[in-house]
């Protein structure tokens, strides 16, 4: 499931293990450098490029996962 991969990436890059699918990236301490690392991980692990504007428009695991799924991405 894409949301599981996205959550694992967020947990790793934000250095937290308590992230839920509805937690806001910015409320968790997310900032531009971490966002860039997450974007790179999306390319490497999900083979999908997520533009910066979509990261801002979809600041939760649930919403960014839905966006990635809308692109036709498949679970690795």
């Amino acid at each position: 499931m894409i949301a599981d991969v996205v959550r694992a990436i967020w947990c790793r890059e934000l250095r937290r293990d308590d992230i839920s699918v509805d937690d806001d990236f910015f409320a968790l301490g997310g900032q531009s450098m971490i966002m860039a690392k997450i974007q790179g991980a999306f390319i490497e692990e999900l083979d999908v490029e997520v533009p910066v504007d979509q990261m801002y428009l979809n600041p939760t695991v649930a919403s960014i996962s839905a966006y990635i799924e809308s692109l036709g991405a498949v679970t690795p």
Side-chain angles (χ1 to χ4, degrees):
M1 193 165 147
I2 289 175
D4 294 333
V5 177
V6 170
R7 183 183 174 280
I9 291 168
W10 282 31
C11 286
R12 181 178 70 233
E13 298 302 336
L14 289 164
R15 298 182 181 181
R16 299 177 64 133
D17 60 1
D18 60 343
I19 297 173
S20 80
V21 295
D22 296 317
D23 285 337
D24 184 280
F25 174 78
F26 302 102
L28 293 168
Q31 39 90 353
S32 60
M33 292 301 292
I34 296 171
M35 186 182 289
K37 289 181 180 182
I38 289 173
Q39 286 178 292
F42 287 164
I43 292 169
E44 288 180 23
E45 297 176 39
L46 294 172
D47 197 29
V48 65
E49 190 168 341
V50 177
V52 172
D53 65 328
Q54 290 301 320
M55 296 287 290
Y56 281 99
L57 292 170
N58 298 288
T60 67
V61 169
S63 63
I64 200 66
S65 297
Y67 171 78
I68 293 169
E69 288 174 5
S70 79
L71 299 175
V74 295
T75 304

